[in-house]
Amino acid sequence: MSAPTVGYIGADVPVELITAAGLLPLRLTGKPGEDSTPGDRYLGRGVDPVARSILTRILTGGYGPLEAIVVSRDCEASLRLFYALRELHRVEPELRLPPVRLVDVLHLPHHTTTRYVHAKLAQLREWLGRWRPIGDDDLAAAITAHDTLRRSLGRCAVLRRANRLSGTRFLEVVAATTRLPVTEAITLADGVIADSSEADGMRLFLTGSSHDDPAVYETLERNGFLVAGEDHDWGELLFTRTCAAPTELALAERYQYNGPAAPRASVRQRAAHTAAAARACGAEVLLSYARVHDDAPPWDFPEQRAATGLRAVLAERQPYGELTPGALAALLPAGVVA
Protein backbone atom coordinates (compact mmCIF):
# COMPACT_ATOMS: atom_id res chain seq x y z
CA MET A 1 0.00 0.00 0.00
CA SER A 2 1.45 3.37 -1.01
CA ALA A 3 2.04 6.10 1.57
CA PRO A 4 -0.34 9.08 1.74
CA THR A 5 0.92 12.02 -0.32
CA VAL A 6 1.81 15.44 1.07
CA GLY A 7 2.12 18.14 -1.55
CA TYR A 8 4.73 20.81 -0.98
CA ILE A 9 5.54 24.13 -2.61
CA GLY A 10 9.03 25.58 -2.72
CA ALA A 11 12.55 24.26 -2.16
CA ASP A 12 12.57 25.56 1.44
CA VAL A 13 10.23 22.79 2.58
CA PRO A 14 12.25 20.19 4.56
CA VAL A 15 11.11 17.09 2.70
CA GLU A 16 13.05 14.92 5.15
CA LEU A 17 10.37 15.56 7.78
CA ILE A 18 7.62 14.43 5.41
CA THR A 19 9.51 11.24 4.59
CA ALA A 20 10.26 10.62 8.27
CA ALA A 21 6.53 10.78 9.04
CA GLY A 22 5.92 7.88 6.64
CA LEU A 23 4.39 10.18 4.00
CA LEU A 24 5.29 10.72 0.35
CA PRO A 25 6.53 14.26 -0.44
CA LEU A 26 5.30 15.50 -3.81
CA ARG A 27 6.60 18.84 -5.07
CA LEU A 28 3.66 20.60 -6.71
CA THR A 29 4.20 21.99 -10.19
CA GLY A 30 2.18 24.22 -12.44
CA LYS A 31 1.20 23.33 -15.99
CA PRO A 32 2.07 25.89 -18.69
CA GLY A 33 -0.66 26.50 -21.23
CA GLU A 34 -3.42 25.13 -19.02
CA ASP A 35 -6.40 27.35 -18.18
CA SER A 36 -5.82 28.86 -14.73
CA THR A 37 -9.21 30.54 -14.29
CA PRO A 38 -10.00 28.82 -10.95
CA GLY A 39 -6.69 29.96 -9.48
CA ASP A 40 -7.03 33.42 -11.01
CA ARG A 41 -10.36 33.82 -9.24
CA TYR A 42 -8.67 33.74 -5.84
CA LEU A 43 -5.17 35.07 -6.54
CA GLY A 44 -5.87 37.54 -9.34
CA ARG A 45 -3.87 37.78 -12.54
CA GLY A 46 -1.12 39.95 -11.07
CA VAL A 47 0.55 37.01 -9.30
CA ASP A 48 3.23 34.73 -10.75
CA PRO A 49 1.43 32.34 -13.14
CA VAL A 50 3.11 29.33 -11.53
CA ALA A 51 1.27 30.00 -8.25
CA ARG A 52 -2.01 30.52 -10.10
CA SER A 53 -1.53 27.27 -11.99
CA ILE A 54 -0.70 25.32 -8.82
CA LEU A 55 -3.80 26.66 -7.04
CA THR A 56 -5.90 25.72 -10.06
CA ARG A 57 -4.57 22.17 -10.01
CA ILE A 58 -5.21 21.88 -6.26
CA LEU A 59 -8.80 23.05 -6.73
CA THR A 60 -9.44 20.70 -9.66
CA GLY A 61 -7.74 17.65 -8.14
CA GLY A 62 -4.91 17.67 -10.66
CA TYR A 63 -2.43 16.10 -8.23
CA GLY A 64 -4.67 13.29 -7.07
CA PRO A 65 -5.50 12.82 -3.37
CA LEU A 66 -3.35 14.98 -1.08
CA GLU A 67 -3.21 14.28 2.64
CA ALA A 68 -1.84 17.76 3.38
CA ILE A 69 0.00 20.69 1.77
CA VAL A 70 3.14 22.36 3.10
CA VAL A 71 4.08 25.76 1.66
CA SER A 72 7.44 27.49 2.09
CA ARG A 73 7.81 31.22 2.28
CA ASP A 74 10.39 31.15 -0.52
CA CYS A 75 8.82 34.03 -2.46
CA GLU A 76 5.87 36.41 -2.36
CA ALA A 77 3.80 34.27 -4.75
CA SER A 78 4.13 31.20 -2.50
CA LEU A 79 3.06 33.25 0.52
CA ARG A 80 0.03 34.58 -1.37
CA LEU A 81 -0.85 31.01 -2.33
CA PHE A 82 -0.67 29.89 1.30
CA TYR A 83 -2.95 32.71 2.46
CA ALA A 84 -5.44 31.85 -0.29
CA LEU A 85 -5.52 28.18 0.74
CA ARG A 86 -5.89 29.07 4.41
CA GLU A 87 -8.76 31.44 3.68
CA LEU A 88 -10.47 28.90 1.44
CA HIS A 89 -10.51 26.50 4.39
CA ARG A 90 -12.34 29.13 6.40
CA VAL A 91 -14.88 30.48 3.89
CA GLU A 92 -15.43 27.52 1.54
CA PRO A 93 -15.19 24.33 3.64
CA GLU A 94 -17.30 22.52 1.05
CA LEU A 95 -14.21 22.41 -1.18
CA ARG A 96 -12.73 19.87 1.28
CA LEU A 97 -9.18 21.02 0.71
CA PRO A 98 -6.40 19.23 2.60
CA PRO A 99 -4.91 20.91 5.70
CA VAL A 100 -2.20 23.44 4.87
CA ARG A 101 0.90 24.50 6.80
CA LEU A 102 3.41 27.31 6.23
CA VAL A 103 7.11 26.80 6.97
CA ASP A 104 9.16 29.98 7.22
CA VAL A 105 12.87 29.45 6.54
CA LEU A 106 15.11 32.52 6.78
CA HIS A 107 18.54 32.65 5.13
CA LEU A 108 20.50 35.19 7.17
CA PRO A 109 23.92 33.95 8.38
CA HIS A 110 23.25 34.43 12.10
CA HIS A 111 22.92 32.12 15.10
CA THR A 112 19.60 33.78 15.92
CA THR A 113 18.38 32.82 12.45
CA THR A 114 19.45 29.22 13.07
CA ARG A 115 17.41 29.16 16.29
CA TYR A 116 14.41 30.60 14.47
CA VAL A 117 14.57 28.10 11.61
CA HIS A 118 15.18 25.23 14.05
CA ALA A 119 12.03 26.23 15.95
CA LYS A 120 9.98 26.37 12.75
CA LEU A 121 11.18 22.91 11.70
CA ALA A 122 10.39 21.53 15.15
CA GLN A 123 6.85 22.90 14.84
CA LEU A 124 6.46 21.31 11.41
CA ARG A 125 7.79 18.02 12.82
CA GLU A 126 5.16 18.11 15.57
CA TRP A 127 2.40 18.95 13.04
CA LEU A 128 3.40 16.07 10.74
CA GLY A 129 3.45 13.82 13.82
CA ARG A 130 -0.34 13.72 13.70
CA TRP A 131 0.11 11.16 10.89
CA ARG A 132 3.03 9.34 12.54
CA PRO A 133 5.23 10.60 15.37
CA ILE A 134 8.73 11.31 14.06
CA GLY A 135 11.39 9.70 16.21
CA ASP A 136 15.05 10.69 16.04
CA ASP A 137 15.90 7.43 14.26
CA ASP A 138 13.16 8.09 11.68
CA LEU A 139 14.53 11.56 11.05
CA ALA A 140 18.14 10.39 10.83
CA ALA A 141 17.21 7.72 8.27
CA ALA A 142 15.26 10.25 6.18
CA ILE A 143 18.09 12.79 6.23
CA THR A 144 20.60 10.12 5.22
CA ALA A 145 18.39 8.96 2.34
CA HIS A 146 17.74 12.45 0.99
CA ASP A 147 21.44 13.31 1.21
CA THR A 148 22.19 10.16 -0.77
CA LEU A 149 19.75 11.37 -3.41
CA ARG A 150 21.42 14.79 -3.48
CA ARG A 151 24.80 13.20 -4.09
CA SER A 152 23.36 11.07 -6.90
CA LEU A 153 21.91 14.18 -8.54
CA GLY A 154 25.29 15.84 -8.09
CA ARG A 155 26.81 13.09 -10.22
CA CYS A 156 24.16 13.79 -12.87
CA ALA A 157 25.29 17.43 -12.85
CA VAL A 158 28.87 16.29 -13.44
CA LEU A 159 27.68 14.29 -16.45
CA ARG A 160 25.98 17.36 -17.87
CA ARG A 161 29.15 19.41 -17.49
CA ALA A 162 30.97 16.64 -19.37
CA ASN A 163 28.47 16.89 -22.29
CA ARG A 164 27.01 13.47 -21.49
CA LEU A 165 23.57 14.75 -20.51
CA SER A 166 21.47 17.52 -22.01
CA GLY A 167 20.10 20.29 -19.86
CA THR A 168 16.55 19.22 -20.71
CA ARG A 169 17.16 15.64 -19.64
CA PHE A 170 18.89 16.82 -16.48
CA LEU A 171 15.92 19.01 -15.50
CA GLU A 172 13.49 16.15 -16.23
CA VAL A 173 15.45 13.82 -13.98
CA VAL A 174 15.58 16.32 -11.11
CA ALA A 175 11.83 16.96 -11.42
CA ALA A 176 11.06 13.22 -11.52
CA THR A 177 12.90 12.66 -8.24
CA THR A 178 10.55 15.12 -6.50
CA ARG A 179 7.59 12.86 -7.35
CA LEU A 180 8.96 9.54 -6.08
CA PRO A 181 9.69 7.92 -2.73
CA VAL A 182 13.29 8.77 -1.91
CA THR A 183 14.60 5.22 -2.40
CA GLU A 184 13.05 5.05 -5.88
CA ALA A 185 14.37 8.52 -6.66
CA ILE A 186 17.92 7.39 -5.82
CA THR A 187 17.54 4.40 -8.14
CA LEU A 188 16.29 6.67 -10.92
CA ALA A 189 19.19 9.12 -10.56
CA ASP A 190 21.77 6.33 -10.39
CA GLY A 191 20.21 4.73 -13.48
CA VAL A 192 20.72 7.95 -15.44
CA ILE A 193 24.38 7.84 -14.50
CA ALA A 194 24.64 4.40 -16.08
CA ASP A 195 22.69 5.35 -19.21
CA SER A 196 24.01 8.79 -20.23
CA SER A 197 24.52 9.90 -23.83
CA GLU A 198 26.27 12.69 -25.73
CA ALA A 199 24.98 16.26 -25.79
CA ASP A 200 26.46 19.38 -27.34
CA GLY A 201 25.77 23.01 -28.22
CA MET A 202 26.86 26.49 -27.14
CA ARG A 203 27.17 26.26 -23.38
CA LEU A 204 24.57 28.48 -21.72
CA PHE A 205 24.08 29.35 -18.07
CA LEU A 206 20.46 30.03 -17.11
CA THR A 207 19.64 32.38 -14.25
CA GLY A 208 16.50 34.21 -13.14
CA SER A 209 13.11 32.58 -12.62
CA SER A 210 12.75 28.94 -11.68
CA HIS A 211 11.63 26.28 -14.16
CA ASP A 212 9.30 23.49 -13.04
CA ASP A 213 8.73 22.50 -16.67
CA PRO A 214 11.38 21.71 -19.35
CA ALA A 215 9.77 23.71 -22.19
CA VAL A 216 12.22 26.65 -22.06
CA TYR A 217 15.17 24.25 -21.88
CA GLU A 218 13.79 22.39 -24.91
CA THR A 219 13.48 25.62 -26.89
CA LEU A 220 17.04 26.63 -26.09
CA GLU A 221 18.48 23.23 -26.94
CA ARG A 222 16.54 23.01 -30.23
CA ASN A 223 18.26 26.24 -31.20
CA GLY A 224 21.85 25.18 -30.69
CA PHE A 225 22.43 25.76 -26.97
CA LEU A 226 23.30 23.35 -24.19
CA VAL A 227 21.91 24.45 -20.82
CA ALA A 228 25.09 23.57 -18.95
CA GLY A 229 24.11 25.09 -15.62
CA GLU A 230 21.51 27.13 -13.76
CA ASP A 231 20.97 28.76 -10.38
CA HIS A 232 17.26 28.28 -9.78
CA ASP A 233 15.78 25.89 -7.23
CA TRP A 234 14.63 23.20 -9.65
CA GLY A 235 18.26 22.75 -10.73
CA GLU A 236 21.53 22.49 -8.87
CA LEU A 237 20.46 24.78 -6.00
CA LEU A 238 18.02 22.04 -5.00
CA PHE A 239 20.65 19.47 -4.11
CA THR A 240 24.16 20.96 -3.86
CA ARG A 241 24.09 21.39 -0.06
CA THR A 242 23.76 18.33 2.17
CA CYS A 243 23.33 18.03 5.94
CA ALA A 244 26.37 18.08 8.21
CA ALA A 245 24.79 15.42 10.46
CA PRO A 246 21.53 13.41 10.59
CA THR A 247 19.98 15.67 13.25
CA GLU A 248 17.19 18.23 13.42
CA LEU A 249 19.65 21.07 14.07
CA ALA A 250 21.80 20.14 11.07
CA LEU A 251 18.64 19.95 8.97
CA ALA A 252 17.72 23.49 10.03
CA GLU A 253 21.21 24.71 9.12
CA ARG A 254 21.04 22.97 5.75
CA TYR A 255 17.88 24.86 4.77
CA GLN A 256 19.03 28.12 6.36
CA TYR A 257 22.23 28.19 4.31
CA ASN A 258 20.80 26.75 1.08
CA GLY A 259 20.69 29.12 -1.88
CA PRO A 260 21.16 31.86 -2.88
CA ALA A 261 17.78 32.06 -4.64
CA ALA A 262 16.70 35.22 -6.46
CA PRO A 263 13.74 36.19 -4.23
CA ARG A 264 15.61 35.83 -0.90
CA ALA A 265 19.30 36.71 -1.51
CA SER A 266 21.16 39.98 -2.03
CA VAL A 267 22.23 41.16 -5.49
CA ARG A 268 25.89 40.73 -4.52
CA GLN A 269 25.36 37.17 -3.26
CA ARG A 270 23.55 36.22 -6.44
CA ALA A 271 26.20 37.72 -8.70
CA ALA A 272 29.04 35.94 -6.93
CA HIS A 273 27.22 32.61 -7.00
CA THR A 274 26.23 32.95 -10.66
CA ALA A 275 29.79 33.83 -11.69
CA ALA A 276 31.27 30.84 -9.85
CA ALA A 277 28.64 28.42 -11.15
CA ALA A 278 28.97 29.70 -14.74
CA ARG A 279 32.74 29.21 -14.61
CA ALA A 280 32.35 25.71 -13.20
CA CYS A 281 30.21 24.57 -16.13
CA GLY A 282 32.25 26.36 -18.81
CA ALA A 283 29.40 28.66 -19.86
CA GLU A 284 29.86 30.78 -22.99
CA VAL A 285 26.69 32.85 -22.67
CA LEU A 286 24.42 33.98 -19.82
CA LEU A 287 20.63 34.14 -20.07
CA SER A 288 18.56 35.75 -17.33
CA TYR A 289 15.00 34.52 -17.85
CA ALA A 290 12.43 36.60 -15.95
CA ARG A 291 8.90 35.26 -16.01
CA VAL A 292 5.97 37.67 -16.06
CA HIS A 293 5.20 38.93 -12.51
CA ASP A 294 8.59 37.71 -11.24
CA ASP A 295 10.32 41.00 -10.46
CA ALA A 296 13.50 39.81 -8.71
CA PRO A 297 15.72 38.64 -11.64
CA PRO A 298 16.08 41.98 -13.48
CA TRP A 299 17.53 43.55 -10.31
CA ASP A 300 20.26 40.88 -10.24
CA PHE A 301 21.14 41.00 -13.93
CA PRO A 302 23.58 43.98 -14.20
CA GLU A 303 25.88 42.63 -11.49
CA GLN A 304 25.59 39.05 -12.79
CA ARG A 305 26.61 40.23 -16.26
CA ALA A 306 29.58 42.15 -14.84
CA ALA A 307 30.67 39.31 -12.56
CA THR A 308 30.56 36.61 -15.25
CA GLY A 309 32.06 38.71 -18.07
CA LEU A 310 29.97 36.67 -20.51
CA ARG A 311 27.80 37.77 -23.40
CA ALA A 312 24.55 38.20 -21.52
CA VAL A 313 20.87 38.59 -22.40
CA LEU A 314 18.00 39.60 -20.13
CA ALA A 315 14.65 38.17 -21.24
CA GLU A 316 11.98 40.02 -19.24
CA ARG A 317 8.23 39.37 -18.82
CA GLN A 318 8.37 35.93 -20.40
CA PRO A 319 5.19 33.81 -20.49
CA TYR A 320 5.13 30.82 -18.17
CA GLY A 321 6.91 27.92 -19.88
CA GLU A 322 7.83 29.92 -22.99
CA LEU A 323 10.73 31.84 -24.48
CA THR A 324 9.41 34.52 -26.82
CA PRO A 325 10.83 34.79 -30.38
CA GLY A 326 12.25 38.20 -29.55
CA ALA A 327 14.13 36.88 -26.54
CA LEU A 328 15.49 33.96 -28.54
CA ALA A 329 16.56 36.27 -31.38
CA ALA A 330 18.49 38.46 -28.90
CA LEU A 331 20.25 35.38 -27.60
CA LEU A 332 21.26 33.87 -30.93
CA PRO A 333 24.56 35.00 -32.48
CA ALA A 334 24.31 37.61 -35.24
CA GLY A 335 23.28 36.13 -38.57
CA VAL A 336 21.57 33.07 -37.06
CA VAL A 337 17.82 32.80 -37.65
CA ALA A 338 15.75 30.75 -35.19
Side-chain angles (χ1 to χ4, degrees):
M1 183 177 178
S2 60
T5 299
V6 171
Y8 70 97
I9 299 164
D12 280 348
V13 173
V15 292
E16 295 86 347
L17 291 174
I18 300 173
T19 295
L23 303 164
L24 171 63
L26 170 68
R27 191 169 182 184
L28 304 186
T29 65
K31 192 169 183 179
E34 186 176 71
D35 178 32
S36 63
T37 299
D40 296 347
R41 176 187 174 194
Y42 298 105
L43 288 175
R45 296 188 58 83
V47 176
D48 189 330
V50 176
R52 289 152 42 201
S53 180
I54 289 173
L55 180 56
T56 295
R57 300 187 74 196
I58 291 171
L59 294 170
T60 59
Y63 304 110
L66 295 177
E67 191 76 8
I69 299 172
V70 181
V71 184
S72 67
R73 191 180 179 179
D74 60 330
C75 65
E76 181 65 23
S78 293
L79 189 59
R80 293 272 295 273
L81 177 53
F82 166 75
Y83 287 141
L85 288 169
R86 188 178 67 175
E87 189 67 2
L88 284 169
H89 270 282
R90 187 181 71 83
V91 300
E92 298 192 34
E94 66 275 9
L95 292 175
R96 299 185 180 276
L97 295 174
V100 60
R101 179 82 181 190
L102 180 71
V103 58
D104 185 15
V105 173
L106 303 181
H107 297 281
L108 297 172
H110 306 308
H111 293 304
T112 53
T113 303
T114 303
R115 289 198 294 271
Y116 177 85
V117 175
H118 190 185
K120 294 301 178 184
L121 266 60
Q123 291 167 5
L124 178 62
R125 178 178 179 174
E126 181 179 4
W127 187 76
L128 289 168
R130 65 175 67 180
W131 283 273
R132 188 182 79 182
I134 301 173
D136 288 343
D137 289 345
D138 298 322
L139 181 57
I143 290 172
T144 299
H146 281 279
D147 274 353
T148 299
L149 173 59
R150 292 181 183 111
R151 286 189 286 270
S152 293
L153 290 172
R155 290 190 286 271
C156 290
V158 171
L159 284 178
R160 178 172 59 166
R161 288 195 286 272
N163 281 22
R164 295 176 60 198
L165 201 65
S166 73
T168 300
R169 178 63 179 143
F170 172 79
L171 190 70
E172 290 171 342
V173 170
V174 174
T177 64
T178 69
R179 301 190 293 266
L180 295 170
V182 63
T183 53
E184 294 180 26
I186 293 167
T187 300
L188 171 65
D190 288 343
V192 172
I193 292 170
D195 189 32
S196 58
S197 58
E198 292 293 325
D200 58 19
M202 180 178 289
R203 303 179 72 80
L204 178 143
F205 190 88
L206 185 61
T207 187
S209 301
S210 63
H211 295 263
D212 64 357
D213 179 272
V216 171
Y217 280 57
E218 291 169 350
T219 298
L220 290 166
E221 296 192 333
R222 278 198 311 269
N223 284 275
F225 296 95
L226 172 65
V227 183
E230 69 282 299
D231 58 10
H232 63 79
D233 65 13
W234 279 88
E236 295 193 37
L237 277 188
L238 183 64
F239 56 79
T240 299
R241 183 177 292 275
T242 56
C243 289
T247 64
E248 187 179 88
L249 176 59
L251 185 66
E253 291 173 335
R254 188 265 167 196
Y255 282 91
Q256 174 190 355
Y257 287 103
N258 199 44
R264 303 292 294 272
S266 71
V267 170
R268 181 172 296 179
Q269 287 175 313
R270 287 282 293 169
H273 176 82
T274 299
R279 283 193 301 270
C281 69
E284 302 167 83
V285 62
L286 174 71
L287 172 62
S288 178
Y289 176 96
R291 191 170 48 244
V292 62
H293 301 310
D294 185 2
D295 299 327
W299 289 96
D300 294 332
F301 179 70
E303 286 206 31
Q304 288 174 315
R305 177 177 54 193
T308 62
L310 297 173
R311 183 169 70 87
V313 171
L314 172 62
E316 294 188 80
R317 295 182 290 278
Q318 296 297 293
Y320 177 30
E322 298 179 30
L323 185 66
T324 61
L328 183 59
L331 187 62
L332 290 167
V336 177
V337 179

